[in-house]
């Protein structure tokens, strides 16, 4: 089961008397890692799809490559403490 944290608008008029309101709703923050939030729903068949394109060179990165690169960077950071 996933829970979420709701972050209220810090200057919402309905939360504090005398403050100004803003037209944005509260933000719901899911109780998952950023990695899981971004890549948790990527299906196996989507791993070969393009995730990023370098506009200057035209080089592409697939979702599988991006996930691998993120894993490698996270591993390197973890090994450094």
């Amino acid at each position: 089961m996933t829970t979420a944290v709701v972050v209220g608008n810090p200057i919402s008029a309905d939360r504090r008397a005398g403050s100004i309101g803003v037209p944005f709703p509260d933000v719901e923050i899911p109780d998952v890692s950023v990695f899981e939030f971004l890549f948790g729903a990527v299906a196996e068949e989507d791993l070969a799809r393009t995730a990023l394109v370098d506009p200057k060179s035209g080089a592409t990165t697939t979702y599988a490559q991006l996930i691998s690169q993120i894993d490698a960077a996270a591993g390197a950071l973890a090994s450094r403490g």
Side-chain angles (χ1 to χ4, degrees):
M1 178 176 169
T2 337
T3 58
V5 175
V6 176
V7 178
N9 188 328
I11 55 174
S12 178
D14 62 347
R15 295 183 193 276
R16 292 191 180 92
S19 65
I20 61 169
V22 295
F24 305 110
D26 289 347
V27 175
E28 189 171 316
I29 301 172
D31 188 23
V32 296
S33 70
V34 173
F35 184 88
E36 179 67 25
F37 182 76
L38 294 175
F39 301 109
V42 175
E44 187 73 29
E45 60 269 13
D46 291 331
L47 291 175
R49 290 182 51 212
T50 300
L52 301 171
V53 177
D54 181 333
K56 189 172 184 178
S57 70
T60 61
T61 302
T62 66
Y63 281 97
Q65 291 169 323
L66 181 60
I67 290 169
S68 177
Q69 292 167 357
I70 291 169
D71 283 341
L77 289 172
S79 71
R80 299 186 112 199

